[in-house]
Amino acid sequence: MSGGSSETEAGRVPDEETVGARLKGYEGRPAAVAGVGKDLVNLPMIRHWCEAMGDTNPAYSGPDAIAPPTMLQAWTMGGLSGHEGRTGAYDALLSLLDASGCTSVVATDCEQEYLRPLRPGDEVTFDSVIESVSERKTTKLGTGYFVTTRTDIRSAGELVGTHRFRILKYAPARRTPPAPRPRPVVNRDNAGFWEAVAEGRLLIQRCTDCGTLRHPWLPGCNACGGPEWDTVEASGEGTVYSYVVMHHPRFPAFEPPYAVGLIELAEGVRMVSNVVGVPYDKVRIGLPVRVEFRRYGAEGDDEGAPVLPVFRVVEGEG
């Protein structure tokens, strides 16, 4: 690799200042020279593109068809075998980033400029250049560098468009293991409820004087004041009576956004719990749900972990 150092070759990670200076040295270097599209602009590819995108614009079919402008990059793609015009500069740049610990990559965005439409039968040629390498940046994914390439696309020598493509080459951030779920507060008034949950049963209190069902568990009846009670086992069926989507504040054991529902059980009482089985933005009032008992322990260590009731959306209803 051009500009290699003994530090990298010896397997040591070069310092950030050295890496930054060497990366900047790649700016302006060609990534592809005199590349030629592997296919002429053609109607079958245009048709497949339009079908995939759901684009029914009549300009893209018929004897006077043009190619959708957003297909610009498609005519330059080399597939698994690549292009003969590709230089080694871009690969060398990525290798330097790998050696500095930036071993992961994600495409971030692209920009395109269109000068004239392409038509079936046009042959595409192109040149690519490493346009810029950013300073080291810190993102949620990790720290690394944004690398931008610019491809100038021509047909019959005429510039028809420009495609800028940007990636982030980064060192993945260290992820801390999720915090354990907070344990429920168990006292003498609700201990029976949590004991049943640990066994996979959902119990509802029932006043033995007036028969009123109640949740959460209480020492006495709200309806008649009677202190005596027994329990009935809930079927587990219910519906979402109301819900909120939690974004903030953040709690260590929960990854927002997530849905918290007020569930109305088939027996008529309501309880608060998580709604699972569908994305948070698919939760709706009236959605049928069924109880599910989950053990929330650290990964690989379920012993003694709390069991909590959550409500899964009934299959086919989400």
Side-chain angles (χ1 to χ4, degrees):
M1 179 175 68
S2 174
S5 72
S6 59
E7 289 187 24
T8 301
E9 290 165 3
R12 294 191 293 272
V13 176
D15 65 81
E16 184 175 329
E17 185 176 349
T18 300
V19 170
R22 291 176 62 190
L23 291 173
K24 286 293 184 182
Y26 283 93
E27 292 184 342
R29 294 180 62 177
V33 177
V36 179
K38 291 198 167 182
D39 297 283
L40 300 179
V41 177
N42 63 86
L43 282 172
M45 285 180 66
I46 292 172
R47 177 171 55 81
H48 291 314
W49 175 280
C50 290
E51 288 178 355
M53 298 296 177
D55 194 336
T56 58
N57 192 320
Y60 306 145
S61 61
D64 298 320
I66 62 171
T70 49
M71 283 189 75
L72 191 63
Q73 185 189 21
W75 310 114
T76 67
M77 297 176 76
L80 296 178
S81 59
H83 281 291
E84 292 182 0
R86 182 171 174 172
T87 71
Y90 192 68
D91 290 336
L93 170 63
L94 298 185
S95 295
L96 174 57
L97 288 165
D98 285 339
S100 70
C102 298
T103 54
S104 296
V105 64
V106 63
T108 60
D109 61 283
C110 69
E111 304 169 16
Q112 293 184 336
E113 302 172 36
Y114 313 117
L115 281 77
R116 80 155 175 84
L118 289 166
R119 292 181 167 80
D122 285 346
E123 182 179 56
V124 163
T125 61
F126 59 92
D127 298 281
S128 296
V129 64
I130 301 168
E131 189 170 64
S132 66
V133 183
S134 74
E135 302 295 329
R136 192 174 183 93
K137 304 289 186 180
T138 300
T139 73
K140 187 175 182 180
L141 292 174
T143 60
Y145 301 85
F146 289 94
V147 179
T148 304
T149 55
R150 188 193 75 241
T151 301
D152 294 329
I153 301 165
R154 296 178 171 81
S155 180
E158 178 186 5
L159 185 65
V160 298
T162 299
H163 175 80
R164 283 182 174 84
F165 190 69
R166 190 172 294 110
I167 65 168
L168 172 64
K169 197 81 163 67
Y170 65 98
R174 292 183 179 179
R175 299 192 180 275
T176 56
R181 286 287 183 104
R183 290 180 173 272
V185 177
V186 180
N187 55 42
R188 64 181 183 179
D189 292 326
N190 65 13
F193 173 80
W194 291 111
E195 289 169 2
V197 165
E199 299 169 356
R201 298 183 298 135
L202 195 62
L203 295 185
I204 304 171
Q205 270 187 321
R206 179 176 57 189
C207 176
T208 55
D209 288 335
C210 68
T212 299
L213 300 178
R214 64 181 186 257
H215 186 87
W217 283 28
L218 297 170
C221 179
N222 282 333
C224 71
E228 303 299 327
W229 54 270
D230 61 8
T231 62
V232 295
E233 184 170 350
S235 67
E237 306 289 343
T239 57
V240 176
Y241 183 82
S242 184
Y243 70 96
V244 294
V245 175
M246 297 296 296
H247 294 272
H248 297 283
R250 285 178 172 268
F251 296 99
F254 300 89
E255 185 62 33
Y258 56 91
V260 178
L262 178 61
I263 308 302
E264 184 167 79
L265 298 179
E267 291 74 17
V269 300
R270 299 169 189 159
M271 63 183 299
V272 175
S273 185
N274 288 108
V275 180
V276 301
V278 296
Y280 70 91
D281 57 352
K282 300 298 183 184
V283 177
R284 296 289 182 270
I285 291 173
L287 204 58
V289 292
R290 181 172 180 80
V291 72
E292 179 177 292
F293 299 95
R294 287 188 176 183
R295 185 177 295 277
Y296 287 95
E299 187 174 350
D301 182 21
D302 285 341
E303 186 176 351
V307 176
L308 302 176
V310 299
F311 286 85
R312 178 172 292 279
V313 173
V314 174
E315 187 175 353
E317 297 291 343

